[in-house]
Amino acid sequence: MTSWIRAVAAGHPPESRTAPAPSQAMSSAPVPGRTWWAWLLPALLCVGFAAYPLSAVLRRGPAVRPGRWLSGLGLLTVVGATLCPLAVYVAGDGAAAPILWGRPLAWLAVQTLAIAVLVSAGVTVAAVLRRHRTWGRAALLRLAPAALATLGFVPWAVWWGVLRP
């Protein structure tokens, strides 16, 4: 049993035997080196949605209640949509454990939040159209980053699969 150990110690290692590598059915493509742009839009969306509550700290213009919901839900949705895939990459398949209708439960929650963002955007637009003459420019300027973030949110959410069934 220990003869192979004595042979290695004496300077006679065993022969190496390996099978040839199996053929690969499909050719793989390397990941492009510059993927920073894929994270640029979520970062800009977070800045756009966070601008409304940050402007409340500066007390610039009256508050628009639907705008609060829009910025809060938008920020939560973008952060949740970026953290769901990262959690699977970091923690493995266990991070996506509860599955409902073929999707992880956390991803369904993010998809529900995305629909809530669109609904709150519609309610915010209706509130602005109803009372824009009484608010003045300060309230409209305060809502502008959230409105631009919402316009960018829709194609981003479709691209990431958040607004896909």
Side-chain angles (χ1 to χ4, degrees):
M1 171 101 177
T2 60
S3 62
W4 65 273
I5 295 175
R6 287 189 188 131
V8 171
H12 304 292
E15 292 181 27
S16 176
R17 295 184 193 133
T18 59
S23 63
Q24 188 171 344
M26 299 175 69
S27 61
S28 60
V31 176
R34 295 189 176 120
T35 58
W36 60 268
W37 55 268
W39 297 101
L40 180 65
L41 190 56
L44 289 175
L45 290 176
C46 285
V47 168
F49 284 125
Y52 186 76
L54 289 177
S55 67
V57 173
L58 300 174
R59 305 262 185 220
R60 303 283 184 220
V64 180
R65 287 199 187 270
R68 293 178 188 172
W69 282 99
L70 174 63
S71 64
L73 289 171
L75 192 59
L76 189 62
T77 303
V78 171
V79 170
T82 54
L83 287 182
C84 277
L86 287 177
V88 173
Y89 294 144
V90 171
D93 289 338
I99 303 289
L100 184 65
W101 296 311
R103 292 193 177 114
L105 200 57
W107 190 252
L108 286 174
V110 169
Q111 287 184 313
T112 304
L113 285 172
I115 293 169
V117 167
L118 296 180
V119 169
S120 65
V123 171
T124 303
V125 167
V128 166
L129 290 177
R130 204 170 341 137
R131 297 188 224 160
H132 75 282
R133 296 185 198 282
T134 60
W135 283 337
R137 291 185 70 160
L140 297 177
L141 286 175
R142 196 172 158 203
L143 277 172
L148 289 173
T150 305
L151 289 176
F153 174 79
V154 174
W156 174 81
V158 171
W159 179 41
W160 274 52
V162 178
L163 284 177
R164 280 192 240 155

